[in-house]
Amino acid sequence: MEKPLTALIQPDGTPLDITGYERAGGYQALRKALTMTPEAIIGEVTRSKLRGRGGGGFATGRKWDAVPRGADAPRQRYLAVNADEMEPGSFKDRLLLEQTPHQMIESVIISAFAIQASIAYIFVRAEYVLSINRLVRAVAEAEAKGYAGANILGSGYALTIHVHASGGRYICGESSALLTALEGRRPIPRARPPRSASSGLWGKPSVVNNVETLCNVPHIIERGADWFLGLSHSTDGGTKLYGMSGRVKRPGLWELPLGTPLNEILEEHAGGMQDGYECRAVLPGGASSAFIMAADFNVAMDFTSVQKVGSALGTGNIMALDDRRCPVGMLRNLEHFFAQESCGFCTPCRDGLPWVERILAAIEDGEGRPEDLDTLARHTIFLGSDFTFCDLAPGAMQPLASGLKHFRAEFEQHISEKCCPWHDSAGGWA
Amino acid sequence: MSTADQSSPDAPLDAALRQEITAAVQHAEYKRAASTDALKLVQKRFGYISDKHLAEVAAILGMTPAELDAVATFYNLIFRRPVGRHVILLCDSVACWVMGEAAARAQLRERLGIKPGETTADGRFTLLPIVCLGHCDHAPAMMVDEDQYGDLNAARLDAILDGYK
């Protein structure tokens, strides 16, 4: 089984420097890409059926194709890498940034060339200090060798790469807020249209792609779209960096064919649940994905299959809810996160999420009323995608709506017994 | 933070720091694009951004103090109030919640005698909650200043704090 994204990760966790990366075949894809036309690169990526790995799942080739080309198009274009990994339960991009920084840089250069961007930003969350340091070093090494900067490898193409360290806020991972943050403004999401592809950073055509998404690009260029499609068990191409956390025996990350079954990830790779714990449900792709219940654990973890069981692949980093933790408490934790991280710009999100959190807290603390469940259900509609400015609140409603459906009995038990049935088992050290 | 010079948060920025900020501004495509970098430079020296420093940095960036404050107050890790010599960021998101964040929080509160959001009387530690640190496979997790720690337990937590004076 091929694992292109993680093949060069060293057992001791030290990333390859530029010489080691070159010796392992690094920057060969860039050399090949520079002999291709941007259209040919976009065509190959489109044929590879690479879809966004940051949560949205948008087709990468299509995103790139939307950037205006030709003589009349604005000359200044931007590529922004979304390395603002802050979706709770997700830790995959950190691995790629820390352990394969040159793979990231090569991906950036090829992808920027494809959309003919002259400046690229890598937007890294503030807490990923090691990632930031290693990227800064990798950019300097790449510039020194002529892979970045002016007249790259004599091709005439020039690219400046900036590593931007964020100040820390979840909404910066929303692509238009990310661009606003790069401009040095208070990063609230922007109205669409216009799409960033035509008017993004400083009003210029811009593309925002996730770390894992872009890291596939050199491999697609080097080995071709057919090879990439062959890596996958689904109709979309590639491998996926799946992760698992919670009370499993071996929490971690594994690069596996896209479409690997959820129960294989849980049982084989994560080693199953710790002794004495049962997995009741999972959030398959971060805090913004709906619960998948144990009955559906045979689902293939690809974009379409996960949707069919009512959730979303999201980041593909799976969070297990075990039978010793309270589902209402878990939802309270999740909604606390979203309420805190709401940018505060649009009213449903700013006012609705704290209300949801307070109701969940009241229920968890034994002060819930039966009508609270209707109020929560109403919020899952009015904080949905037709009523808010961006996808933060609709994402926040995914676990809540599915939780109200699947854990109805537990909600009612809290309210009728006026306490949390799990109260005594919560809060201890492992 | 650990290198913070907290004796003079209201003194004007010295020439060396102004020069660092100016260099960041020159590196940026537009002046205000350097706002996060500039704020971080000041915070690295003083631990937080005082009103006076905010106004000085805003002038360098060609922004009004209010515009820069709108940026500064938006970010979880730009501090507009004084913090201790070391800042403990304890992850309170979902994977850590499952794996024992409450126990870590309780132990920190007991050892330090402060609640999240407070600073110890000796100015050694500030305790803050933080959103998911992306260290979920080693939950519960935290950071102290720029150092990351996972797989926390009672003994390990005490040993980590002993290392920060």
Side-chain angles (χ1 to χ4, degrees):
Chain A
M1 186 167 52
E2 286 188 273
K3 301 179 178 183
L5 295 175
T6 55
L8 295 184
I9 290 183
Q10 307 299 300
D12 68 352
T14 317
L16 293 176
D17 66 5
I18 196 158
T19 322
Y21 183 69
E22 286 172 323
R23 225 177 270 141
Y27 291 107
Q28 289 305 315
L30 172 62
R31 290 178 191 279
K32 183 174 175 184
L34 292 172
T35 68
M36 299 165 71
T37 63
E39 287 75 18
I41 295 173
I42 295 174
E44 197 66 20
V45 170
T46 303
R47 272 192 300 283
S48 78
K49 296 196 176 171
L50 171 63
R51 289 176 63 176
R53 306 294 202 238
F58 196 81
T60 306
R62 230 170 81 210
K63 195 182 255 190
W64 291 1
D65 205 31
V67 176
R69 289 194 293 265
D72 294 340
R75 279 199 204 123
Q76 180 71 70
R77 298 176 196 128
Y78 294 98
L79 174 70
V81 183
N82 190 343
D84 192 46
E85 182 168 66
M86 290 182 78
E87 181 70 28
S90 303
F91 47 103
K92 66 188 181 68
D93 295 336
R94 173 204 281 275
L95 180 82
L96 296 171
L97 296 166
E98 287 184 357
Q99 314 244 335
T100 61
H102 275 290
Q103 176 174 254
M104 180 81 258
I105 302 303
E106 185 177 13
S107 306
V108 167
I109 303 165
I110 297 171
S111 306
F113 177 72
I115 60 164
Q116 290 289 292
S118 56
I119 299 179
Y121 285 91
I122 307 177
F123 187 104
V124 194
R125 68 173 296 184
E127 297 88 341
Y128 281 10
V129 179
L130 190 59
S131 301
I132 293 163
N133 293 342
R134 287 181 174 175
L135 286 171
V136 167
R137 183 178 168 173
V139 170
E141 287 178 333
E143 280 173 354
K145 289 250 183 166
Y147 296 126
N151 192 19
I152 295 172
L153 299 174
S155 66
Y157 173 63
L159 177 70
T160 306
I161 304 173
H162 295 279
V163 178
H164 176 92
S166 175
R169 195 77 188 263
Y170 174 69
I171 197 63
C172 295
E174 199 276 345
S175 63
S176 69
L178 185 148
L179 297 176
T180 308
L182 286 174
E183 291 177 358
R185 297 169 197 281
R186 190 173 171 93
I188 53 175
R190 299 176 180 183
R192 299 181 179 87
R195 308 291 309 187
S196 303
S198 52
S199 177
L201 194 55
W202 289 295
K204 300 296 196 301
S206 306
V207 163
V208 183
N209 283 130
N210 165 261
V211 168
E212 184 189 354
T213 311
L214 288 187
C215 284
N216 284 295
V217 170
H219 306 290
I220 294 169
I221 295 309
E222 212 169 2
R223 317 277 298 268
D226 291 333
W227 166 83
F228 191 73
L229 283 162
L231 293 173
S232 169
H233 289 170
S234 87
T235 51
D236 296 302
T239 59
K240 178 78 192 75
L241 259 183
Y242 293 108
M244 189 131 201
S245 62
R247 289 238 179 252
V248 292
K249 285 197 177 119
R250 292 191 303 269
L253 290 165
W254 309 276
E255 184 180 5
L256 299 168
L258 185 61
T260 299
L262 172 55
N263 46 15
E264 183 191 319
I265 298 168
L266 169 60
E267 297 299 334
E268 284 181 35
H269 303 286
M273 297 300 284
Q274 292 178 11
D275 295 337
Y277 292 88
E278 198 183 310
C279 189
R280 296 192 69 198
V282 301
L283 297 175
S288 307
S289 56
F291 284 105
I292 295 179
M293 303 303 288
D296 287 323
F297 281 1
N298 59 350
V299 66
M301 287 286 285
D302 62 55
F303 292 99
T304 41
S305 303
V306 181
Q307 269 184 344
K308 280 184 192 153
V309 296
S311 190
L313 179 63
T315 63
N317 284 195
I318 306 159
M319 248 303 308
L321 169 64
D322 62 74
D323 57 340
R324 296 207 205 164
R325 295 314 305 261
C326 171
V328 177
M330 184 175 183
L331 285 165
R332 175 188 185 174
N333 176 281
L334 293 167
E335 299 307 331
H336 168 74
F337 167 83
F338 287 114
Q340 176 185 303
E341 293 300 309
S342 167
C343 82
F345 174 72
C346 79
T347 309
C349 183
R350 180 188 63 238
D351 287 357
L353 287 172
W355 195 0
V356 165
E357 186 197 348
R358 283 199 297 275
I359 294 172
L360 290 168
I363 295 172
E364 178 74 351
D365 294 341
E367 291 159 7
R369 295 168 301 186
E371 60 270 28
D372 286 343
L373 298 185
D374 298 329
T375 309
L376 288 175
R378 235 182 357 260
H379 276 78
T380 65
I381 297 164
F382 290 114
L383 297 189
S385 50
D386 293 335
F387 298 94
T388 61
F389 203 68
C390 82
D391 286 335
L392 186 142
M397 293 302 102
Q398 292 295 317
L400 181 61
S402 60
L404 284 169
K405 182 175 150 202
H406 296 302
F407 300 115
R408 185 90 193 175
E410 285 83 349
F411 271 101
E412 287 170 350
Q413 197 184 352
H414 278 81
I415 293 168
S416 63
E417 294 178 7
K418 297 192 189 310
C419 69
C420 172
W422 279 267
H423 189 71
D424 291 337
S425 67
W429 285 108
Chain B
M1 290 164 229
S2 54
T3 56
D5 169 8
Q6 288 160 328
S7 56
S8 53
D10 281 335
L13 300 173
D14 60 53
L17 189 51
R18 289 184 72 90
Q19 181 49 44
E20 273 190 87
I21 294 169
T22 307
V25 170
Q26 282 164 351
H27 184 69
E29 285 187 80
Y30 298 85
K31 277 186 182 179
R32 66 185 300 157
S35 57
T36 318
D37 286 340
L39 290 168
K40 283 183 168 186
L41 285 168
V42 176
Q43 181 164 299
K44 193 174 177 188
R45 173 80 69 86
F46 298 99
Y48 80 109
I49 315 293
S50 69
D51 289 348
K52 282 188 180 166
H53 289 163
L54 184 91
E56 270 196 79
V57 174
I60 298 172
L61 295 167
M63 299 166 78
T64 67
E67 283 174 330
L68 185 59
D69 208 15
V71 175
T73 55
F74 195 82
Y75 289 116
N76 294 334
L77 295 174
I78 301 290
F79 305 136
R80 286 285 279 114
R81 283 193 286 169
V83 294
R85 289 196 298 282
H86 305 290
V87 176
I88 301 169
L89 300 168
L90 181 66
C91 175
D92 70 354
S93 288
V94 63
C96 288
W97 175 83
V98 168
M99 300 301 288
E101 173 266 336
R105 180 161 26 98
Q107 186 173 327
L108 285 167
R109 283 182 66 159
E110 190 180 345
R111 170 168 169 154
L112 303 174
I114 52 170
K115 296 196 291 283
E118 294 179 348
T119 300
T120 54
D122 61 2
R124 185 171 162 199
F125 288 113
T126 295
L127 175 61
L128 295 174
I130 191 72
V131 294
C132 183
L133 288 171
H135 204 38
C136 316
D137 49 344
H138 294 283
M142 70 172 185
M143 292 180 80
V144 183
D145 302 335
E146 294 194 338
D147 309 321
Q148 169 190 284
Y149 299 97
D151 300 314
L152 298 177
N153 57 43
R156 183 164 154 74
L157 191 54
D158 270 334
I160 291 166
L161 293 196
D162 288 343
Y164 293 88
K165 300 301 175 191

